Amino acid sequence: MQIHVYDTYVTAGDGRLMHFDVFTAERDDQQAIAYAKQWLASIGEADATVSSKECRFCHSQKAPADVIDTIKRDGFFIYKMEGCPA
């Protein structure tokens, strides 16, 4: 499965920068932003600003099985990098 990667930088409520990627099955910028907002709300950061400025298409790539399973189940996968909760 080919996935689309959206590089995302968001400022958390406490001021720290969170860097994560949103992986999706379809290249749809607005849907990727909606997924980022959904995930942020699930970790208590619903007030974080996410727009096309913070969440940008980066590239497409093949995905491992666990990522594909999550995308099939939830529609997206969040790959946490800097400043994200464990």
Side-chain angles (χ1 to χ4, degrees):
M1 172 186 232
Q2 192 80 356
I3 61 164
H4 307 286
V5 179
Y6 288 82
D7 198 28
T8 309
Y9 292 87
V10 174
T11 302
D14 64 3
R16 80 180 181 289
L17 185 64
M18 293 191 298
H19 178 202
F20 59 93
D21 286 344
V22 179
F23 295 172
T24 65
E26 295 182 20
R27 185 172 173 187
D28 182 334
D29 297 356
Q30 292 305 309
Q31 186 62 60
I33 291 167
Y35 288 144
K37 289 179 179 182
Q38 180 181 335
W39 179 71
L40 287 163
S42 77
I43 62 165
E45 295 288 347
D47 293 334
T49 300
V50 185
S51 70
S52 59
K53 181 179 175 186
E54 291 82 20
C55 182
R56 294 183 179 186
F57 175 76
C58 183
H59 65 278
S60 299
Q61 68 183 48
K62 292 198 179 225
D66 62 324
V67 170
I68 293 168
D69 291 343
T70 300
I71 291 172
K72 285 180 179 178
R73 184 185 68 234
D74 301 336
F76 66 100
F77 180 90
I78 300 295
Y79 181 76
K80 301 177 212 173
M81 288 179 273
E82 303 165 276
C84 295

